[in-house]
Amino acid sequence: MNKEWKTIGDMRVQVAGAGPAIVFCHGFTTTSEFWRNQVDVFSAERRVVLINLPGHGVSPAPQGRSYSIDAFVQDIEQVFEALDIDQAILVGLSMGGTVAQQFALRNPQRLKALVLVGATPHGLGADVKAENVLAGIRELGVAQASQLVIERSFGSRAPAELIDFGKQEVVQTPEHVAIEAIESLNRADSRARLGEIQVPTLVVCGVEDQITPPSESRQLAAGIPGAELVLVEGAAHFPMLECPEEFNLALGNFIARAMN
């Protein structure tokens, strides 16, 4: 499936297919390419929108703008406006899951369903402290620090070439973006408001995830009314890359149920 590139605000966005929209938002220092195994499957019947958040992937990283969770929510709102999306399924990975939660709380009328992948309801998983990430950036530089996080993000079965792909992608995020984003992510906390999310919700987590462990996903699913929880065996923080067939089946089944 050919993808069309669009520039929307400070974002480079890929669009493929036609029909009801499904919008994918990546995580901290990752890119839209982390959804590469979902494009062909879901663009057969839907308009797939892959966002590169500002400062991530091929998107620009201008000085003087915010790279906070709140700012990223506004960026996604801008994508909805620019692409004339009335309602969509929003899929968020890790930090993108935090952004997606806040988007859902602010724009419930714009969502048909919500999917949270490797996400938490409050900042970062216990195994990845913001102060450690920031210390790594100061000591090693943002590129190497981001690559070290990536090395711990894949499960035991992940092939070396997949890990290398991840490491190549994350080095595109500059230091000023990474620092503000990780600090904002560390402060984020939606626990008190999860009950307000009323759209059908799927929570997905890799069983081996050390970045945002399954306990975090269980807390999310327990807090959101009617949320479904899927744990993917053989995957860690990136189940859509590590076990794409299982992930796509779970997402496709959820969409079929949620749209009935």
Side-chain angles (χ1 to χ4, degrees):
M1 175 67 68
N2 291 329
K3 295 187 287 285
E4 179 185 2
W5 283 97
K6 294 181 178 291
T7 298
I8 301 173
D10 293 323
M11 293 164 286
R12 293 287 287 158
V13 177
Q14 300 176 70
V15 182
I22 179 168
V23 179
F24 291 88
C25 182
H26 60 77
F28 174 69
T29 73
T30 61
T31 74
S32 66
E33 292 300 317
F34 277 63
W35 303 110
R36 63 186 186 179
N37 293 317
Q38 284 64 60
V39 178
D40 289 349
V41 173
F42 293 99
S43 63
E45 297 182 352
R46 297 182 174 275
R47 179 165 52 147
V48 170
V49 179
L50 305 173
I51 297 173
N52 285 289
L53 291 171
H56 291 73
V58 294
S59 289
Q63 299 278 357
R65 64 151 285 152
S66 175
Y67 296 93
S68 66
I69 299 300
D70 286 347
F72 291 148
V73 171
Q74 294 173 25
D75 290 314
I76 296 182
E77 291 169 347
Q78 190 174 9
V79 170
F80 273 60
E81 293 291 340
L83 298 181
D84 294 320
I85 299 173
D86 291 328
Q87 284 190 311
I89 299 166
L90 179 59
V91 186
L93 165 68
S94 195
M95 181 184 76
T98 299
V99 175
Q101 291 170 60
Q102 293 302 317
F103 185 95
L105 290 167
R106 298 183 200 183
N107 303 278
Q109 75 286 355
R110 307 196 82 159
L111 293 186
K112 295 186 76 69
L114 179 66
V115 182
L116 305 173
V117 184
T120 84
H122 58 107
L124 297 159
D127 200 49
V128 183
K129 301 289 188 182
E131 56 265 30
N132 294 338
V133 176
L134 291 168
I137 291 173
R138 287 193 298 269
E139 294 168 15
L140 304 171
V142 65
Q144 190 174 348
S146 296
Q147 288 184 328
L148 287 175
V149 173
I150 281 292
E151 288 179 354
R152 300 180 60 214
S153 298
F154 285 96
S156 57
R157 302 182 202 171
E161 57 267 25
L162 188 58
I163 299 171
D164 287 342
F165 156 79
K167 292 170 73 172
Q168 291 165 13
E169 289 296 300
V170 298
V171 298
Q172 299 173 80
T173 300
E175 182 173 313
H176 70 280
V177 175
I179 288 175
E180 184 175 358
I182 199 71
E183 290 178 339
S184 179
L185 177 58
N186 192 51
R187 293 190 299 268
D189 191 340
S190 59
R191 286 174 291 183
R193 300 191 63 194
L194 289 177
E196 298 174 34
I197 298 176
Q198 298 295 318
V199 297
T201 300
L202 174 67
V203 180
V204 184
C205 185
V207 171
E208 299 179 27
D209 194 342
Q210 299 181 62
I211 305 300
T212 54
S215 58
E216 300 287 344
S217 287
R218 290 190 180 97
Q219 187 175 11
L220 269 178
I224 298 172
E228 301 178 29
L229 174 64
V230 171
L231 299 179
V232 181
E233 294 283 349
H237 196 49
F238 303 125
M240 68 288 181
L241 277 173
E242 298 171 82
C243 299
E245 291 184 1
E246 293 90 335
F247 179 88
N248 291 344
L249 180 62
L251 179 55
N253 288 341
F254 166 73
I255 291 172
R257 291 191 299 272
M259 297 303 101
N260 286 337

